[in-house]
């Protein structure tokens, strides 16, 4: 099964940007999709968007289109999540998750999560 | 505000069966057979336990079963165990407006 490894905790100032990475050694990932999700402290899960690396095709949740950019570096097996204009409300654990083609909403496995703290 | 509606909490006794409900609309649960359920223990990563409404990933106990009727999806946990105490989230594919919708989660107490 694929293993997804995410970058570490980030502490950012309001108004700044952050990049979170998700790396896998599996070649299957490039032919399927990686989604990004987040969970604010004590809150539920939200889907931000996803990418199919081999097609460089992205989908974003309408709520996050202005906030999120998802890209991939196939040569490194890495997918990136860029968040802009950070606000305190963006404080959350951000997860990447593998999504096999043809099985939307089947997020498995997940990365270990990256905590992003936005604070002045 | 979550796109799918779940009760905040459900409790049950050891060995009992409980059913968690996830209410959607004709644009998500009612239209697509792409409903999944995730179990999350405190401080842990969510774990897929049901996908495509009724399918269980390899390694998931047969005590977990999923179903759907109209705009409502259900997760039944039979033979309740202490380790089942966790948060459970439903998820559905949706129309172009949302794409992927989650419920707010149900906390199961045993």
């Amino acid at each position: 099964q694929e293993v997804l490894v995410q970058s570490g905790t980030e502490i950012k100032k309001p108004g700044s940007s952050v990049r979170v990475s998700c790396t896998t050694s599996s070649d299957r990932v490039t032919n399927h999709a990686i989604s990004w999700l987040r969970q604010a402290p004590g809150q539920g899960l939200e889907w931000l968007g996803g990418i199919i690396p081999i097609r460089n095709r992205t989908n974003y949740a309408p709520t996050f289109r202005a906030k999120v950019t998802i890209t991939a570096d196939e040569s490194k097996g890495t997918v990136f999540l860029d968040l802009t204009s950070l606000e305190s409300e963006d404080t959350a654990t951000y997860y990447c998750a593998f999504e096999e083609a043809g099985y939307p909403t089947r997020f498995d496995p997940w990365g270990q999560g990256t905590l992003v703290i936005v604070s002045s | 505000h979550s796109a799918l509606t779940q009760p905040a909490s459900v409790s049950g006794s050891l060995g009992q069966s409980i059913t968690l409900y996830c209410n959607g609309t004709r644009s998500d649960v009612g239209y697509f057979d792409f409903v999944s359920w995730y179990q999350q223990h405190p401080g842990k990563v969510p774990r897929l336990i049901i996908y495509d409404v009724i399918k269980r990933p390899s390694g998931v106990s047969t005590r977990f079963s999923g179903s759907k009727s109209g705009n409502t999806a259900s997760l039944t946990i039979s033979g309740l165990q202490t380790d089942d105490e966790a948060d459970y989230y439903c998820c559905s594919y949706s129309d172009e407006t949302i794409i992927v919708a989650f419920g707010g989660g149900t906390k199961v107490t045993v």
Side-chain angles (χ1 to χ4, degrees), chain A residues 31-120:
Chain A
N31 293 311
H32 297 274
I34 291 289
S35 273
W36 285 96
L37 307 97
R38 80 176 187 183
Q39 186 172 36
Q43 303 300 310
L45 296 166
E46 296 179 285
W47 180 78
L48 307 180
I51 187 168
I52 302 174
I54 200 169
R55 301 180 189 175
N56 202 29
R57 175 184 167 186
T58 53
N59 270 324
Y60 297 101
T63 307
F64 294 103
R65 279 204 181 105
K67 168 73 65 178
V68 166
T69 302
I70 299 171
T71 56
D73 183 338
E74 288 181 60
S75 66
K76 296 181 179 179
T78 301
V79 174
F80 301 98
L81 171 71
D82 290 310
L83 302 169
T84 62
S85 303
L86 290 171
E87 306 169 285
S88 58
E89 291 77 16
D90 295 317
T91 294
T93 298
Y94 289 79
Y95 296 101
C96 62
F98 179 75
E99 187 178 2
E100 187 171 350
Y103 294 94
T105 78
R106 179 184 170 183
F107 302 118
D108 182 44
W110 295 53
Q112 83 276 19
T114 297
L115 177 60
V116 174
I117 299 171
V118 182
S119 174
S120 55

Side-chain angles (χ1 to χ4, degrees), chain A residues 45 105, chain B residues 1-7 21-30 34-37 71-73 89-94 98 100-106:
Chain A
L45 296 166
T105 78
Chain B
H1 171 72
S2 301
L4 307 179
T5 302
Q6 298 183 250
Y21 295 97
C22 172
N23 294 315
T25 69
R26 288 179 295 178
S27 297
D28 39 62
V29 175
F34 296 126
V35 176
S36 55
W37 290 86
N71 299 336
T72 300
Y89 295 93
C90 64
C91 176
S92 175
Y93 193 70
S94 183
I98 301 175
V100 175
F102 274 93
T106 296

Side-chain angles (χ1 to χ4, degrees), chain B residues 25-48:
Chain B
T25 69
R26 288 179 295 178
S27 297
D28 39 62
V29 175
Y31 190 82
F32 298 101
D33 283 337
F34 296 126
V35 176
S36 55
W37 290 86
Y38 296 86
Q39 177 193 59
Q40 186 179 34
H41 289 105
K44 300 297 185 181
V45 177
R47 171 197 177 205
L48 176 71

